Amino acid sequence: MRDWKFNHIDFSIYPVYTGNDLGVFWSPEKTKVKIWAPTAKIVEFRLYKDGKTGEPFHKTQLQAGENGTWSTVLIGDYEGKFYTFKINDGDWLNETPDMYARCVGVNGLRGKFFNPKNTNPENWEHDKGPRYNSFTEAVIYETHVRDFSISKDSGILNKGKFLGFTEENTQTPDGISTGLSHLKELGVTHVHLLPVYDFYTVDEEKPLEKYNWGYDPLHYNATEGSYSTKPHDGTSRIREFKQLVQALHNAGIGVILDVVYNHTYLAKASVFNQTVPGYFYRQKQDGTFANASGCGNEMATERAMVRKYIIDSLKYWQQEFHIDGFRFDLMGIYDLDTMKTIRQEMNNLDSGIILYGEGWAADQSPMPEQKRAVKMNTSLLPGIGSFNDDFRDALKGDNGNKKSKGFVSGLDLREEAVKFGVVGAVNHPQIVYEYVGTSLQGWAAEPDQSINYASCHDNYTLWDKLKFSCPKATDVELRKMVKLAGALVLTSQGVPFLHSGVEFCRTKKGNGNSYKSPDAINQLDWSRKKQFPEVIEYHKKLIQLRKNHPAFRMSSAEQIRQNLHFCTEYQTGVVSYCIEGAGVGDSWGKIILIFNGNRKEVTVPLPEGNYQLMANGNEISEAGLEQFVAEQVQVEAISMLILVKSN
């Protein structure tokens, strides 16, 4: 009986295979099959006519090759048939597809032989996403495939599907734009999709019976069938996802994938453990699975063939699906060398691919923190960003405590932590880091390493968090808080990141962990666009302002230190600063931004000069709001003011 303890094994002596031909590759004349299974004694390859049921119509054994590989060649055309492997390493392991499976049958039970060219939409060879001079030019919008279109008022026909993103000019019953049209109106540059690979907990034959975000990986290189209109047809799910990518690219919007190589949903029964038991996972001293993911296991990214697998997978998604970026779930589990190698390999393909992740783990890891891609090591990872949770918590309070407050919800003495976010987490001589509290120094070497956000799919939506922490606030005050948070995220240095629906005050009805909650909780309720038009309009103008003015998206830490100064006298509950726009090629010379988190109006003395008002709590106008001030300015409660010095 296998005990699944591995402290007696030195995995570092396992052979390493460097070829790029692992997996199952179809052609009309023959199919090439190769897997890495260095501990195997027998590898049986089974062929099926169906993706779910029936007995194999053919069995053959792979031949042992170099560096732990096993391979065979099938003569003839097997397109549309299915396959599995069954490995004996002294005992028979479970029957599974291969870990590189790119096309699978329903619920990922069997791999499928397929012709990749048959999955390409028309004009796919010309498809390309947007590219920018600096990642600070991005405005990222995070959403979930099903949430985006599932609501009854979305006006989208392919509800909950990849194809929901391809539908043009969709509307609510009230004639308000939804879906792709809304994204184009909003002006975001990238859509970040929660996992789209094949995950475990939603039955693809009954997709609406259960919900999941998708952080329960099954097959990393195959697309999720519950998002397809034909879950039994592995090629349809590939084609439909490519159509999603193409539709967003045609709208000038890049696609970022949420990837979860830090753990698998299944541990002992995973395709990795049923191929090379133990190798792909870190172990504790007693030989059992380590659990820095909080999900029962963590991947041993530092081992050569695990690192190779992750990089091969990322390259496949980028090359086959034209993906524009990747977000790494619990990036703090990955070792630093793997993340550095990922950046190098992506640069070899396309240096415009954006990479960022969560700079933390969910639990203890046997690998020391100084060797992992945690937030405080971000400066060691050029070209890779970390989520700025210092800024997030400064804006709205402790993410896990629903009653805690932050700057926008009226908590005093959070100004220094807000300033930390304003400069994109780089070191700045005017920030007193002891007062930041959560980080005692800037952890980003450059601003493109700070992913600035007030909310994401995790925890409470911004609207729900504000309602919990400010139970006596009026509806008008809550709207102002959402706008103030948006103003801070979208005018600060770094890379802004928006949770889908924040622009219309998205609610999950107070649910703080909706990973498997029903659609009624998770769906984007497009009818809220009618309720919160001024909040949407404000976000649209903020995004356009950022695009038009390089002062709000400087590309280097040195530019920030030279051109951004905290130039007004300190007041409790107020953050204000000056930008020398001319120093970064902006059409606006001297810019002053003032953020008032207080519940009352404040008077702020100004540096010498005459200034035109460009934005107040309700309006943003790059042509100016026809109001000029000098010496001092009144700033209404819970609002942003932007002033530009007159010539």
Side-chain angles (χ1 to χ4, degrees), residues 44-49 53-59 84 95 110:
E44 188 174 273
F45 191 47
R46 300 178 169 191
L47 275 59
Y48 295 87
K49 292 180 179 177
T53 60
E55 294 299 312
F57 68 83
H58 180 67
K59 294 181 185 177
T84 60
E95 189 175 1
R110 294 170 182 169

PDB file of all heavy atoms in Angstrom, residues 44-49 53-59 84 95 110:
ATOM      1  N   GLU A  44       1.332   2.249 -20.163  1.00  0.00           N
ATOM      2  CA  GLU A  44       0.322   1.750 -21.089  1.00  0.00           C
ATOM      3  C   GLU A  44      -0.471   2.924 -21.660  1.00  0.00           C
ATOM      4  O   GLU A  44      -0.884   3.815 -20.930  1.00  0.00           O
ATOM      5  CB  GLU A  44      -0.614   0.783 -20.349  1.00  0.00           C
ATOM      6  CG  GLU A  44      -1.584   0.067 -21.260  1.00  0.00           C
ATOM      7  CD  GLU A  44      -2.379  -0.983 -20.510  1.00  0.00           C
ATOM      8  OE1 GLU A  44      -1.904  -2.129 -20.397  1.00  0.00           O
ATOM      9  OE2 GLU A  44      -3.472  -0.641 -20.004  1.00  0.00           O
ATOM     10  N   PHE A  45      -0.692   2.909 -22.966  1.00  0.00           N
ATOM     11  CA  PHE A  45      -1.421   3.957 -23.677  1.00  0.00           C
ATOM     12  C   PHE A  45      -2.720   3.341 -24.186  1.00  0.00           C
ATOM     13  O   PHE A  45      -2.703   2.321 -24.881  1.00  0.00           O
ATOM     14  CB  PHE A  45      -0.570   4.467 -24.835  1.00  0.00           C
ATOM     15  CG  PHE A  45      -1.071   5.723 -25.492  1.00  0.00           C
ATOM     16  CD1 PHE A  45      -1.466   6.824 -24.746  1.00  0.00           C
ATOM     17  CD2 PHE A  45      -1.121   5.821 -26.880  1.00  0.00           C
ATOM     18  CE1 PHE A  45      -1.903   7.991 -25.359  1.00  0.00           C
ATOM     19  CE2 PHE A  45      -1.548   6.984 -27.505  1.00  0.00           C
ATOM     20  CZ  PHE A  45      -1.946   8.064 -26.732  1.00  0.00           C
ATOM     21  N   ARG A  46      -3.852   3.959 -23.808  1.00  0.00           N
ATOM     22  CA  ARG A  46      -5.157   3.384 -24.124  1.00  0.00           C
ATOM     23  C   ARG A  46      -5.946   4.331 -25.025  1.00  0.00           C
ATOM     24  O   ARG A  46      -6.001   5.530 -24.762  1.00  0.00           O
ATOM     25  CB  ARG A  46      -5.949   3.134 -22.833  1.00  0.00           C
ATOM     26  CG  ARG A  46      -5.253   2.176 -21.880  1.00  0.00           C
ATOM     27  CD  ARG A  46      -6.052   2.000 -20.599  1.00  0.00           C
ATOM     28  NE  ARG A  46      -5.523   0.900 -19.787  1.00  0.00           N
ATOM     29  CZ  ARG A  46      -6.133   0.390 -18.733  1.00  0.00           C
ATOM     30  NH1 ARG A  46      -7.315   0.879 -18.346  1.00  0.00           N
ATOM     31  NH2 ARG A  46      -5.599  -0.606 -18.050  1.00  0.00           N
ATOM     32  N   LEU A  47      -6.589   3.770 -26.031  1.00  0.00           N
ATOM     33  CA  LEU A  47      -7.359   4.574 -26.987  1.00  0.00           C
ATOM     34  C   LEU A  47      -8.846   4.255 -26.860  1.00  0.00           C
ATOM     35  O   LEU A  47      -9.231   3.096 -26.691  1.00  0.00           O
ATOM     36  CB  LEU A  47      -6.895   4.287 -28.416  1.00  0.00           C
ATOM     37  CG  LEU A  47      -5.684   5.082 -28.919  1.00  0.00           C
ATOM     38  CD1 LEU A  47      -4.461   4.859 -28.050  1.00  0.00           C
ATOM     39  CD2 LEU A  47      -5.373   4.720 -30.370  1.00  0.00           C
ATOM     40  N   TYR A  48      -9.664   5.329 -26.962  1.00  0.00           N
ATOM     41  CA  TYR A  48     -11.108   5.212 -26.808  1.00  0.00           C
ATOM     42  C   TYR A  48     -11.825   5.943 -27.947  1.00  0.00           C
ATOM     43  O   TYR A  48     -11.296   6.908 -28.500  1.00  0.00           O
ATOM     44  CB  TYR A  48     -11.568   5.832 -25.483  1.00  0.00           C
ATOM     45  CG  TYR A  48     -11.073   5.138 -24.239  1.00  0.00           C
ATOM     46  CD1 TYR A  48      -9.843   5.462 -23.678  1.00  0.00           C
ATOM     47  CD2 TYR A  48     -11.847   4.175 -23.608  1.00  0.00           C
ATOM     48  CE1 TYR A  48      -9.392   4.839 -22.527  1.00  0.00           C
ATOM     49  CE2 TYR A  48     -11.410   3.540 -22.448  1.00  0.00           C
ATOM     50  CZ  TYR A  48     -10.179   3.887 -21.916  1.00  0.00           C
ATOM     51  OH  TYR A  48      -9.741   3.260 -20.771  1.00  0.00           O
ATOM     52  N   LYS A  49     -13.049   5.513 -28.194  1.00  0.00           N
ATOM     53  CA  LYS A  49     -13.889   6.217 -29.169  1.00  0.00           C
ATOM     54  C   LYS A  49     -14.695   7.332 -28.528  1.00  0.00           C
ATOM     55  O   LYS A  49     -15.176   8.233 -29.219  1.00  0.00           O
ATOM     56  CB  LYS A  49     -14.839   5.220 -29.852  1.00  0.00           C
ATOM     57  CG  LYS A  49     -14.110   4.224 -30.741  1.00  0.00           C
ATOM     58  CD  LYS A  49     -15.076   3.253 -31.403  1.00  0.00           C
ATOM     59  CE  LYS A  49     -14.312   2.280 -32.300  1.00  0.00           C
ATOM     60  NZ  LYS A  49     -15.224   1.274 -32.900  1.00  0.00           N
ATOM     61  N   THR A  53     -17.157   7.270 -21.712  1.00  0.00           N
ATOM     62  CA  THR A  53     -17.575   5.901 -21.427  1.00  0.00           C
ATOM     63  C   THR A  53     -16.924   4.917 -22.395  1.00  0.00           C
ATOM     64  O   THR A  53     -16.222   5.309 -23.333  1.00  0.00           O
ATOM     65  CB  THR A  53     -19.107   5.766 -21.545  1.00  0.00           C
ATOM     66  OG1 THR A  53     -19.494   6.112 -22.881  1.00  0.00           O
ATOM     67  CG2 THR A  53     -19.817   6.679 -20.566  1.00  0.00           C
ATOM     68  N   GLY A  54     -17.179   3.623 -22.161  1.00  0.00           N
ATOM     69  CA  GLY A  54     -16.710   2.585 -23.075  1.00  0.00           C
ATOM     70  C   GLY A  54     -15.339   2.055 -22.727  1.00  0.00           C
ATOM     71  O   GLY A  54     -14.575   2.671 -21.976  1.00  0.00           O
ATOM     72  N   GLU A  55     -15.038   0.895 -23.304  1.00  0.00           N
ATOM     73  CA  GLU A  55     -13.746   0.245 -23.093  1.00  0.00           C
ATOM     74  C   GLU A  55     -12.757   0.711 -24.166  1.00  0.00           C
ATOM     75  O   GLU A  55     -13.160   1.127 -25.256  1.00  0.00           O
ATOM     76  CB  GLU A  55     -13.924  -1.274 -23.173  1.00  0.00           C
ATOM     77  CG  GLU A  55     -14.781  -1.862 -22.054  1.00  0.00           C
ATOM     78  CD  GLU A  55     -14.180  -1.626 -20.685  1.00  0.00           C
ATOM     79  OE1 GLU A  55     -12.971  -1.893 -20.517  1.00  0.00           O
ATOM     80  OE2 GLU A  55     -14.900  -1.139 -19.780  1.00  0.00           O
ATOM     81  N   PRO A  56     -11.451   0.603 -23.881  1.00  0.00           N
ATOM     82  CA  PRO A  56     -10.472   0.985 -24.907  1.00  0.00           C
ATOM     83  C   PRO A  56     -10.551   0.058 -26.117  1.00  0.00           C
ATOM     84  O   PRO A  56     -10.748  -1.150 -25.974  1.00  0.00           O
ATOM     85  CB  PRO A  56      -9.126   0.845 -24.181  1.00  0.00           C
ATOM     86  CG  PRO A  56      -9.382  -0.022 -22.999  1.00  0.00           C
ATOM     87  CD  PRO A  56     -10.813   0.189 -22.620  1.00  0.00           C
ATOM     88  N   PHE A  57     -10.416   0.641 -27.311  1.00  0.00           N
ATOM     89  CA  PHE A  57     -10.416  -0.188 -28.518  1.00  0.00           C
ATOM     90  C   PHE A  57      -8.997  -0.591 -28.909  1.00  0.00           C
ATOM     91  O   PHE A  57      -8.784  -1.431 -29.787  1.00  0.00           O
ATOM     92  CB  PHE A  57     -11.134   0.500 -29.681  1.00  0.00           C
ATOM     93  CG  PHE A  57     -10.439   1.731 -30.230  1.00  0.00           C
ATOM     94  CD1 PHE A  57      -9.409   1.627 -31.157  1.00  0.00           C
ATOM     95  CD2 PHE A  57     -10.837   3.007 -29.829  1.00  0.00           C
ATOM     96  CE1 PHE A  57      -8.780   2.749 -31.675  1.00  0.00           C
ATOM     97  CE2 PHE A  57     -10.209   4.141 -30.338  1.00  0.00           C
ATOM     98  CZ  PHE A  57      -9.173   4.014 -31.262  1.00  0.00           C
ATOM     99  N   HIS A  58      -8.016   0.022 -28.217  1.00  0.00           N
ATOM    100  CA  HIS A  58      -6.621  -0.324 -28.514  1.00  0.00           C
ATOM    101  C   HIS A  58      -5.761   0.004 -27.290  1.00  0.00           C
ATOM    102  O   HIS A  58      -5.984   1.010 -26.616  1.00  0.00           O
ATOM    103  CB  HIS A  58      -6.127   0.476 -29.723  1.00  0.00           C
ATOM    104  CG  HIS A  58      -4.710   0.188 -30.112  1.00  0.00           C
ATOM    105  ND1 HIS A  58      -4.313  -1.031 -30.625  1.00  0.00           N
ATOM    106  CD2 HIS A  58      -3.582   0.947 -30.052  1.00  0.00           C
ATOM    107  CE1 HIS A  58      -3.011  -0.999 -30.875  1.00  0.00           C
ATOM    108  NE2 HIS A  58      -2.550   0.194 -30.534  1.00  0.00           N
ATOM    109  N   LYS A  59      -4.807  -0.867 -27.004  1.00  0.00           N
ATOM    110  CA  LYS A  59      -3.822  -0.614 -25.947  1.00  0.00           C
ATOM    111  C   LYS A  59      -2.440  -0.884 -26.519  1.00  0.00           C
ATOM    112  O   LYS A  59      -2.249  -1.819 -27.298  1.00  0.00           O
ATOM    113  CB  LYS A  59      -4.039  -1.537 -24.746  1.00  0.00           C
ATOM    114  CG  LYS A  59      -5.325  -1.327 -23.971  1.00  0.00           C
ATOM    115  CD  LYS A  59      -5.381  -2.310 -22.794  1.00  0.00           C
ATOM    116  CE  LYS A  59      -6.703  -2.214 -22.053  1.00  0.00           C
ATOM    117  NZ  LYS A  59      -6.774  -3.218 -20.944  1.00  0.00           N
ATOM    118  N   THR A  84      -5.879   7.764 -22.819  1.00  0.00           N
ATOM    119  CA  THR A  84      -5.392   7.894 -21.435  1.00  0.00           C
ATOM    120  C   THR A  84      -4.062   7.148 -21.318  1.00  0.00           C
ATOM    121  O   THR A  84      -3.680   6.380 -22.215  1.00  0.00           O
ATOM    122  CB  THR A  84      -6.364   7.288 -20.405  1.00  0.00           C
ATOM    123  OG1 THR A  84      -6.531   5.894 -20.695  1.00  0.00           O
ATOM    124  CG2 THR A  84      -7.713   7.987 -20.403  1.00  0.00           C
ATOM    125  N   GLU A  95      -5.591   5.698 -14.073  1.00  0.00           N
ATOM    126  CA  GLU A  95      -5.673   6.055 -15.485  1.00  0.00           C
ATOM    127  C   GLU A  95      -5.965   7.550 -15.604  1.00  0.00           C
ATOM    128  O   GLU A  95      -6.902   8.061 -14.982  1.00  0.00           O
ATOM    129  CB  GLU A  95      -6.800   5.235 -16.109  1.00  0.00           C
ATOM    130  CG  GLU A  95      -6.906   5.302 -17.596  1.00  0.00           C
ATOM    131  CD  GLU A  95      -7.990   4.353 -18.122  1.00  0.00           C
ATOM    132  OE1 GLU A  95      -8.642   3.673 -17.313  1.00  0.00           O
ATOM    133  OE2 GLU A  95      -8.170   4.323 -19.347  1.00  0.00           O
ATOM    134  N   ARG A 110     -10.538  12.176 -20.255  1.00  0.00           N
ATOM    135  CA  ARG A 110      -9.657  11.612 -21.275  1.00  0.00           C
ATOM    136  C   ARG A 110      -9.125  12.717 -22.175  1.00  0.00           C
ATOM    137  O   ARG A 110      -9.818  13.709 -22.435  1.00  0.00           O
ATOM    138  CB  ARG A 110     -10.410  10.568 -22.122  1.00  0.00           C
ATOM    139  CG  ARG A 110     -10.817   9.343 -21.324  1.00  0.00           C
ATOM    140  CD  ARG A 110     -11.766   8.427 -22.075  1.00  0.00           C
ATOM    141  NE  ARG A 110     -12.160   7.294 -21.221  1.00  0.00           N
ATOM    142  CZ  ARG A 110     -13.134   6.437 -21.494  1.00  0.00           C
ATOM    143  NH1 ARG A 110     -13.847   6.584 -22.619  1.00  0.00           N
ATOM    144  NH2 ARG A 110     -13.417   5.447 -20.670  1.00  0.00           N
TER     145      ARG A 110
END
